[in-house]
Amino acid sequence: MNARTRGDTEETRVLVVEDDRGIAESLVRGLRQAGYGVEGVRTGRAALSASTPDVVLLDLGLPDIDGVEVCRRLRARSDAAIIAVTARGEEADRVVALDEGADDYLVKPFGLAELLARIRAVLRRRRPAGPEILRHGPLALDLRTRQVSVDGRAVSLTPKEFVILECLAADPGRVVTRQQILERAWDAHWYGPTKVLDVHVAALRRKLGMPGLIETVYGQGFRLGAVQESQERP
Ligand code: CA
């Protein structure tokens, strides 16, 4: 069984929806050899009842349900990347599939190298697929809306303050170096004084109102410390 959780170390799962047995078998074999976890199904109905994959390779010409309809229903309930597969000449279907949420398409016949490149491309565009909300005690960072709250109370941060906090909250307890934070929040090659970082961290501490949350690790950087709230509980 493949792991169900997502992360860099987990296998990426591809669902191959293809009713042509010969094509399906070669796709499944090729994708497995490339290191993907693969499930192959032959019908639209089976595709809709399969476990949620990372990528769906969806033949639009299926025996039971129209492939575009399958695409629409998959999109409605999952954020998996969908690559529609059509026969030559089915341009209208490709356009509709893209309108219905497909991320890309391939025209038969296609080679394995092209398929693998398309999969890598759609995954690149989709990631990061990590958690959208980082939590640490009463602190919550919504990475999508870039809103921060403490105990449900909204805290207004500048973009730089948000990125600094995001660096730390991504892995509470781990020391993040000054250089790592500067590169994320300012520029890939920051050669200026790092005092500017201390100014922003001071502002963050003040706004969050949780003294001790952001710990200075002398000579190294910063980390999120244990939350006082949890220390008060028995
Ligand atoms: Ca077909």
Side-chain angles (χ1 to χ4, degrees):
M1 284 294 285
N2 296 331
R4 285 282 173 266
T5 51
R6 290 172 189 221
D8 290 345
T9 58
E10 302 293 346
E11 194 172 51
T12 299
R13 291 157 299 135
V14 181
L15 175 65
V16 174
V17 189
E18 171 60 73
D19 58 311
D20 183 304
R21 185 185 291 265
I23 294 174
E25 282 175 356
S26 76
L27 288 174
V28 168
R29 193 168 49 241
L31 288 167
R32 285 205 176 119
Q33 281 169 358
Y36 291 100
V38 188
E39 182 180 359
V41 297
R42 296 249 163 76
T43 64
R45 194 164 293 116
L48 292 169
S49 56
S51 62
T52 307
D54 300 294
V55 180
V56 182
L57 190 63
L58 176 63
D59 179 26
L60 294 184
L62 295 171
D64 57 342
I65 309 174
D66 178 61
V68 171
E69 177 61 23
V70 175
C71 180
R72 177 169 26 238
R73 289 199 221 164
L74 283 172
R75 174 51 67 237
R77 66 192 211 186
S78 106
D79 64 352
I82 301 173
I83 301 176
V85 176
T86 66
R88 200 172 288 285
E90 294 173 340
E91 190 192 353
D93 282 353
R94 293 197 285 278
V95 172
V96 177
L98 290 172
D99 282 344
E100 293 297 341
D103 297 87
D104 200 355
Y105 66 85
L106 278 165
V107 179
K108 290 180 189 173
F110 54 84
L112 184 64
E114 182 178 12
L115 170 62
L116 295 176
R118 296 294 180 96
I119 289 176
R120 286 193 298 270
V122 294
L123 287 172
R124 256 198 318 274
R125 290 201 292 269
R126 295 235 147 212
R127 294 213 162 120
E132 290 210 323
I133 297 183
L134 300 178
R135 293 182 195 281
H136 182 63
L139 175 70
L141 276 81
D142 189 321
L143 302 182
R144 194 175 60 79
T145 63
R146 302 183 82 74
Q147 287 174 324
V148 175
S149 65
V150 174
D151 273 329
R153 171 182 59 88
V155 179
S156 176
L157 300 183
T158 66
K160 289 232 188 312
E161 289 163 356
F162 183 90
V163 174
I164 293 166
L165 190 58
E166 183 187 355
C167 287
L168 300 172
D171 192 358
R174 184 173 69 86
V175 176
V176 186
T177 68
R178 291 172 161 272
Q179 194 58 36
Q180 285 169 335
I181 297 174
L182 288 165
E183 287 176 1
R184 279 282 300 281
W186 274 267
D187 186 76
H189 303 284
W190 175 269
Y191 297 114
T194 67
K195 261 291 178 230
V196 64
L197 180 56
D198 296 277
V199 174
H200 283 80
V201 168
L204 251 180
R205 284 177 170 141
R206 197 167 56 242
K207 287 182 178 180
L208 294 173
M210 296 169 67
L213 175 68
I214 300 177
E215 296 178 352
T216 302
V217 182
Y218 185 73
Q220 295 184 52
F222 301 93
R223 73 176 164 216
L224 283 200
V227 177
Q228 292 186 335
E229 179 196 63
S230 61
Q231 291 169 351
E232 287 166 8
R233 287 175 186 156

